[in-house]
Amino acid sequence: MTCDRTINRRRLLAGTAALGITGIAGCFEGDEQNEAPADPVSLDDGQACLACGMIIEDHYGPSGQLFYTGGQPEANDGVAWFDSVTELVTYHREQTDRGWELRDGFVTDYSAVDYELVERDGTTYITSHVDASVFADLTDLGYAVGSTVDGAMGEDFHPFSDQEDAAAFVDEHGGAVRSWSELL
């Protein structure tokens, strides 16, 4: 018995085309998934908060920035800037519901700066720090939540990379320490 191993020319061309299309589609899909990590940017050049429109560097409290896969949001060259971590969290929840995937996110790290508390009209505020060097990966920080210290939009989440710093802040100003996932 002999085995016929001849390959039909049409079958060969169709198979080759299918492999080529699959390979090209994989390249496009991989570009979005393999975007280079983002680096934090300084927010000292008149950037306005995406949520409220206030100039970030002009207001008290922690600020932050989000980078999503696919260059979202299209405004601000793919960076979402905020003058408040509470606004950042609200925005992130909304975008997650839309199917956006967070690539990188950064917030002010109060363990990395010499912050001050400022009393104004009976309210205690924490100073703002907007240089790129003071931003840290938002997933690595502990957040003082529910304290008596306000940010740009009132009650805010105050991020610290050192858990002892976060605990000391809460001991002095009330509230509790939460992780990024607990904020969501």
Side-chain angles (χ1 to χ4, degrees):
M1 179 187 237
T2 61
C3 184
D4 187 5
R5 294 192 183 251
T6 58
I7 297 176
N8 180 319
R9 182 173 174 211
R10 275 191 207 161
R11 221 178 192 176
L12 178 64
L13 291 174
T16 303
L19 283 173
I21 290 170
T22 302
I24 290 171
C27 289
F28 288 120
E29 182 180 336
D31 284 347
E32 191 169 291
Q33 292 175 355
N34 294 322
E35 290 178 270
D39 290 319
V41 297
S42 290
L43 300 177
D44 60 358
D45 195 23
Q47 291 96 331
C49 175
L50 191 64
C52 68
M54 295 184 349
I55 303 301
I56 296 168
E57 66 185 312
D58 293 345
H59 298 280
Y60 293 113
S63 54
Q65 47 200 281
L66 300 172
F67 298 81
Y68 292 91
T69 57
Q72 297 295 340
E74 291 180 14
N76 303 335
D77 296 322
V79 184
W81 300 311
F82 302 91
D83 64 356
S84 161
V85 176
T86 56
E87 288 179 327
L88 177 146
V89 169
T90 300
Y91 179 87
H92 178 61
R93 287 178 188 148
E94 292 168 357
Q95 302 326 306
T96 300
D97 290 346
R98 293 176 66 189
W100 289 16
E101 183 180 334
L102 184 64
R103 190 174 89 197
D104 290 294
F106 305 98
V107 292
T108 306
D109 176 7
Y110 281 103
S111 292
V113 298
D114 291 326
Y115 65 86
E116 294 179 32
L117 299 180
V118 177
E119 188 79 26
R120 194 173 119 208
D121 299 326
T123 302
T124 303
Y125 296 95
I126 193 167
T127 51
S128 178
H129 300 270
V130 295
D131 187 70
S133 66
V134 304
F135 288 99
D137 184 324
L138 54 77
T139 62
D140 295 337
L141 305 175
Y143 295 82
V145 175
S147 76
T148 59
V149 178
D150 284 356
M153 300 306 291
E155 187 176 317
D156 212 335
F157 306 142
H158 305 293
F160 294 87
S161 58
D162 184 321
Q163 296 302 315
E164 290 179 14
D165 290 346
F169 188 88
V170 165
D171 285 346
E172 188 171 341
H173 305 288
V177 177
R178 301 285 183 254
S179 68
W180 170 250
S181 61
E182 290 173 311
L183 297 181
L184 301 178

